[in-house]
């Protein structure tokens, strides 16, 4: 139960719509208030704002088949623009507190695997194609039908797994958990801080921020997560001003004691005009001739599987946190959510910023009270402002924003009690879905492992009829997805 669920202010207790705006967004009907929605929108933005900086860094590092690169400034502006417009569209059409932005993982796939085989315009054209294909699947009802075919307890496990995934993301981004270099000569893959110790100023700031946020949460302070982010950012700015820690990379060399992503210092310039020169720079045809149809189909399939199931898991997790799911584990207006998500995928390609998808960080806004699309209006407007206020966006370091992800991970983990752990036929698939998400850093991998193991176990115990026919097809697709490496080596 989130802090918002525990609040009892009078605005949330009434169920009668106060006006047309309230009625359209179902604010009172979902037990929320405009104040909660605004807080939730801000919290979601602050936990997602890093994408405006990180997505350009990932894409700009890629080089296409003709040696072309993408400009960082234009990527940042395009990332903020598409995220803002699509997040607002989700709020208005689906009225669900689910924000969208350029998807991590997909952008790396585009930058390091797809673009080197063709031009950047061709690569972004494939992203557009993938978005259109997903849109067709939504309009035909197939995407929603597949989602309904997944057992309710497995959907719950997906939400729990995403919660753990969020926590791991927060801990790793803040440097609290780090990978041990292979040269260290140890079989232990990760460690606490640096050398097993919390010896740096950023780690101290993160630790204080997490504890501070948890105390606010336990004391049921309104806006606990957002307050935690802001206070931790202020603390980081003070620490940086005194200690001069610097960034995590200096002149291309790692600085393990530095701040992750952003150095928390007040910027010299607050407003800057956006560079939108990359809009419309895509091509949906040339890639087929340049890279070959088999390569193109494999890339589109990989993009499709990743977007298809990542969004399903994300919207379940967010709906679960906000207690917005029905008896079948479905969020309200599922079809609209999936349709906007598919439009966002194509829009990301059309703007040359990679596929846009639903962000699990939206759960931080839900934990702050967001229950409707009003929160999306706030988050979306902040993203649009970020096009002009990019210097301010770069003030918040991972060490401050990640505090929210740890708290939200705990909140989402609480749903694990809804799974029947005495029934091995569902408990084992649930276990695999929950554990493989954080340990493979992929929502799709966890969902795939859960579905494939569920189908295999049901077949093994002679209960094939208990499996929805669509799940057999999905399981086969996931097997192909997991085996795409060997398949590519054989077919290509």
């Amino acid at each position: 139960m989130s802090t918002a669920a525990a609040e009892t202010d009078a605005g949330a207790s009434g169920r009668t719509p106060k006006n047309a705006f309230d009625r359209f967004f179902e604010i009172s009907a979902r037990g929320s208030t405009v104040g909660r929605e605004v807080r939730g929108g801000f919290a979601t933005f602050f936990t997602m704002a890093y994408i405006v900086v990180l997505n350009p860094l990932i894409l700009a590092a890629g080089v296409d088949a003709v040696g072309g690169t993408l400009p960082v400034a234009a990527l940042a502006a395009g990332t903020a623009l598409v995220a803002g417009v699509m997040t607002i569209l989700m709020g208005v059409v689906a009225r669900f507190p689910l924000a969208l932005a350029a998807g991590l993982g997909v952008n790396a796939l585009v930058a390091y695997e797809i673009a080197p085989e063709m031009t950047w315009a061709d690569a972004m054209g494939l992203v557009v194609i993938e978005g259109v294909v997903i849109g067709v699947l939504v309009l035909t009802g197939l995407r929603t039908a597949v989602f309904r075919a997944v057992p309710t307890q497995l959907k719950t496990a997906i939400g729990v797994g995403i919660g753990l995934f969020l926590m791991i993301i927060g801990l790793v981004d803040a440097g609290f958990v780090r990978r041990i270099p292979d040269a260290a000569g140890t079989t232990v893959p990760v460690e606490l801080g640096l050398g097993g110790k919390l010896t740096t100023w950023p780690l101290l700031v993160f630790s204080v921020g997490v504890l501070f946020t948890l105390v606010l949460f336990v004391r049921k302070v309104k806006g606990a997560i957002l307050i935690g982010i802001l206070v931790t950012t202020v603390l980081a700015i003070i620490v940086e001003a005194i200690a001069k820690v610097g960034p995590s990379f200096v002149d291309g060399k790692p600085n393990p004691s530095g701040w992750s992503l952003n150095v928390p210092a007040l910027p010299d310039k607050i407003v800057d005009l956006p560079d939108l020169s990359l809009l419309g720079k895509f091509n949906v045809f040339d890639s087929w001739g340049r890279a070959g149809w088999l390569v193109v189909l494999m890339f589109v399939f990989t993009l499709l599987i990743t977007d298809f199931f990542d969004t399903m898991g994300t919207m379940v997790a967010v709906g679960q946190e906000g207690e917005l799911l029905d008896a079948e584990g479905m969020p309200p207006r599922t079809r609209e959510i999936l349709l906007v998500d598919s439009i966002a995928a194509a829009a990301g390609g059309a703007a040359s910023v990679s596929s846009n998808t639903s962000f699990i960080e939206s759960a931080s806004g839900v934990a702050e009270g967001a229950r409707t699309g009003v929160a999306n209006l706030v988050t979306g407007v902040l993203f649009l402002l970020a096009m002009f206020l990019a210097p301010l966006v770069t003030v918040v370091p991972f060490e401050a924003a990640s505090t929210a992800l740890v708290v939200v991970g705990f909140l989402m983990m609480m749903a694990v009690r809804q799974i029947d752990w005495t029934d091995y036929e569902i408990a084992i698939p649930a276990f695999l879905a929950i554990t493989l998400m954080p340990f493979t850093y992929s929502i799709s991998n966890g969902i795939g492992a859960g579905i494939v193991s569920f189908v295999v176990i049901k077949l093994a115990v002679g209960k094939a009829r208990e499996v929805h026919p669509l799940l057999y097809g999905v399981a086969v697709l996931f097997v192909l997805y997991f085996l795409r490496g060997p398949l590519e080596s054989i077919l290509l």
Side-chain angles (χ1 to χ4, degrees):
M1 182 75 70
S2 66
T3 52
E7 294 173 4
T8 57
D9 48 309
S13 61
R15 299 291 179 176
T16 303
K18 299 176 182 178
N19 48 49
F21 183 80
D22 187 337
R23 185 179 304 108
F24 179 82
F25 285 103
E26 302 175 352
I27 301 173
S28 296
R30 296 186 186 179
S32 186
T33 66
V34 172
R36 289 182 182 178
E37 298 299 317
V38 171
R39 289 205 312 270
F42 269 93
T44 295
F45 173 75
F46 278 114
T47 55
M48 286 179 60
Y50 68 86
I51 197 64
V52 179
V53 178
L54 188 56
N55 189 52
L57 294 180
I58 292 173
L59 291 177
V63 180
D64 68 13
V66 296
T69 58
L70 300 177
V72 173
L75 286 170
T79 298
L81 174 63
V82 178
V85 172
M86 290 298 105
T87 295
I88 291 173
L89 186 65
M90 179 70 79
V92 174
V93 175
R95 304 170 212 171
F96 191 71
L98 193 62
L100 302 97
L104 290 175
V106 175
N107 53 9
L109 173 67
V110 172
Y112 303 123
E113 295 186 41
I114 298 180
E117 298 290 336
M118 55 195 75
T119 67
W120 276 110
D122 297 337
M124 293 304 172
L126 293 189
V127 176
V128 173
I129 292 173
E130 177 255 339
V132 172
V133 172
I134 290 185
V136 171
L137 295 177
V138 173
L139 293 175
T140 58
L142 180 61
R143 195 177 186 188
T144 305
V146 169
F147 187 61
R148 290 187 180 277
V150 178
T152 301
Q153 289 191 65
L154 191 52
K155 291 176 186 173
T156 299
I158 290 170
V160 173
I162 291 176
L164 289 179
F165 183 31
L166 270 180
M167 183 197 69
I168 292 293
I169 290 174
L171 295 178
V172 170
D173 286 348
F176 193 86
V177 171
R178 298 180 190 237
R179 178 179 178 272
I180 300 176
D182 295 333
T186 176
T187 57
V188 179
V190 294
E191 65 182 3
L192 175 69
L194 283 175
K197 302 175 183 178
L198 303 179
T199 57
T200 69
W201 283 110
L203 288 180
L204 176 61
V205 169
F206 170 73
S207 302
V208 171
V210 169
L211 291 175
F212 176 72
T213 306
L214 288 172
V215 169
L216 293 179
F217 173 77
V218 172
R219 293 182 65 86
K220 300 179 181 179
V221 174
K222 296 179 182 179
I225 292 176
L226 180 57
I227 293 173
I229 295 172
L230 296 177
V231 171
T232 307
T233 299
V234 172
L235 176 60
I237 292 174
I238 295 172
V239 168
E240 173 60 21
I242 297 173
K244 305 296 182 182
V245 176
S248 57
F249 279 87
V250 180
D251 297 328
K253 297 179 180 179
N255 172 26
S257 299
W259 301 98
S260 299
L261 188 63
N262 298 322
V263 176
L266 295 178
D268 297 328
K269 183 168 58 175
I270 296 178
V271 178
D272 200 4
L273 291 176
D275 178 358
L276 301 177
S277 60
L278 288 177
L279 298 186
K281 297 295 180 66
F282 68 96
N283 191 315
V284 297
F285 298 112
D286 287 354
S287 58
W288 301 84
R290 185 183 298 272
W293 67 270
L294 197 54
V295 172
V296 170
L297 286 179
M298 187 64 70
F299 282 144
V300 171
F301 174 74
T302 303
L303 287 169
L304 188 68
I305 286 292
T306 302
D307 269 353
F308 194 100
F309 290 98
D310 269 16
T311 297
M312 287 188 172
T314 300
M315 71 179 187
V316 167
V318 172
Q320 188 171 288
E321 167 61 18
E323 300 180 355
L324 297 173
L325 303 181
D326 60 21
E328 297 180 349
M330 300 286 287
R333 297 186 179 87
T334 297
R335 187 169 183 266
E336 287 81 355
I337 293 172
L338 297 176
L339 181 59
V340 173
D341 183 79
S342 63
I343 294 173
S352 297
V353 295
S354 184
S355 177
N356 272 232
T357 188
S358 304
F359 259 55
I360 188 55
E361 283 87 343
S362 304
S364 63
V366 173
E368 269 304 332
R371 294 293 182 273
T372 76
V374 176
N376 276 42
L377 303 185
V378 176
T379 303
V381 168
L382 290 174
F383 266 119
L384 295 179
L385 290 176
M387 290 194 301
F388 303 91
L389 303 175
L392 286 181
V393 174
T394 60
V395 169
V396 183
F398 267 144
E399 287 80 3
S402 294
T403 58
L405 302 184
V406 175
V407 177
V408 171
F410 159 72
L411 294 174
M412 297 173 68
M413 180 69 187
M414 293 172 65
V416 74
R417 65 184 184 276
Q418 299 174 18
I419 300 171
D420 183 2
W421 294 103
T422 63
D423 182 0
Y424 293 168
E425 294 174 20
I426 191 64
I428 291 175
F431 168 74
L432 292 174
I434 290 171
T435 55
L436 288 183
M437 282 187 203
F439 293 136
T440 65
Y441 244 64
S442 168
I443 294 175
S444 291
N445 287 348
I447 295 176
I451 290 177
V452 171
S453 61
F454 177 78
V455 171
V456 170
I457 288 173
K458 287 296 184 182
L459 287 173
V461 298
K463 297 181 179 179
R465 292 187 178 181
E466 294 185 8
V467 179
H468 193 287
L470 282 176
L471 276 192
Y472 287 109
V474 172
V476 170
L477 288 178
F478 265 118
V479 170
L480 293 174
Y481 173 76
F482 288 132
L483 296 177
R484 64 190 185 280
L487 289 176
E488 286 176 3
S489 64
I490 295 173
L491 298 175
L492 306 180

